[in-house]
Amino acid sequence: MALLIIARGIDKKYLKTPLGSVEEAKTSRSKNSEDKEETKNIRKDMLYRWEVSLLHCTSLSQVFLHLSTLDRCIMWTKSILNAKCRICRRKGDAEKMLLCDVCDRGHHMYCLRPALKVVPIGDWFCPDCKPRQSRISPRKVIRTKSFSQVSPVTAGVACKLIM
């Protein structure tokens, strides 16, 4: 039962075949949507069958067989313990390492600028993957307004100043 809890705690994107779907991401461009759904259903079915089989184990050797299957299906290279910080290029200090939710690259919390003191709640995006927000200075906003967008009061004041 504990092995099942561990297996359900693993994010599906870190599982490879036969329990995961690494190949699905690689071939998603070439297949049509029906084939993608069929592949996804097959992967879910394999994981479900593995879970049912685990629950019906009667010996320690059967549990060990399921454990070794799960261990082979986990992509350990994507582990936070193997991640290098993109800024300082060092491994280690896994409790202070953040993995981007888009690219899975590591960043130490103290290497980021500004440095983070606590692990952020929810999704975290690295500086490269964070959506860009264009910041326009107030002067540029005023310059880009057309005459029709200027309020009548401001236009009246401007006309009086010109005369």
Side-chain angles (χ1 to χ4, degrees):
M1 194 62 155
L3 184 58
L4 183 63
I5 293 169
I6 292 170
R8 288 185 177 169
I10 299 170
D11 196 354
K12 304 303 180 241
K13 68 180 180 180
Y14 298 117
L15 291 176
K16 56 186 176 183
T17 57
L19 300 180
S21 59
V22 170
E23 293 163 1
E24 182 182 317
K26 293 178 183 174
T27 60
S28 65
R29 294 182 187 124
S30 62
K31 294 184 177 183
N32 60 28
S33 61
E34 292 175 7
D35 290 342
K36 285 186 217 176
E37 288 298 320
E38 185 177 322
T39 304
K40 189 183 281 188
N41 290 337
I42 290 171
R43 300 285 187 237
K44 285 182 182 177
D45 186 45
M46 290 297 291
L47 186 60
Y48 176 75
R49 288 174 49 197
W50 180 86
E51 289 177 356
V52 169
S53 176
L54 177 63
L55 291 174
H56 288 94
C57 288
T58 56
S59 69
L60 190 57
S61 62
Q62 291 175 340
V63 172
F64 183 75
L65 181 67
H66 284 82
L67 174 64
S68 64
T69 302
L70 179 64
D71 186 49
R72 276 193 323 258
C73 291
I74 296 173
M75 291 187 285
W76 293 108
T77 57
K78 299 279 187 178
S79 170
I80 195 166
L81 298 174
N82 290 330
K84 285 184 183 179
C85 177
R86 288 199 62 214
I87 299 168
C88 69
R89 304 281 186 219
R90 290 190 210 136
K91 285 185 179 182
D93 207 6
E95 58 274 355
K96 297 289 185 177
M97 182 80 72
L98 295 175
L99 292 180
C100 176
D101 288 321
V102 175
C103 65
D104 287 329
R105 295 181 192 157
H107 294 77
H108 287 122
M109 291 172 33
Y110 48 81
C111 289
L112 295 168
R113 295 293 170 244
L116 297 176
K117 303 284 187 227
V118 293
V119 176
I121 298 171
D123 292 341
W124 180 80
F125 304 105
C126 68
D128 294 337
C129 296
K130 187 185 293 187
R132 302 279 183 220
Q133 296 176 352
S134 60
R135 294 177 14 185
I136 300 174
S137 69
R139 287 183 175 180
K140 287 185 180 179
V141 171
I142 293 171
R143 286 183 204 161
T144 58
K145 283 187 180 181
S146 66
F147 188 73
S148 61
Q149 293 175 330
V150 177
S151 67
V153 174
T154 309
V157 171
C159 289
K160 288 179 183 177
L161 290 174
I162 294 174
M163 295 180 173

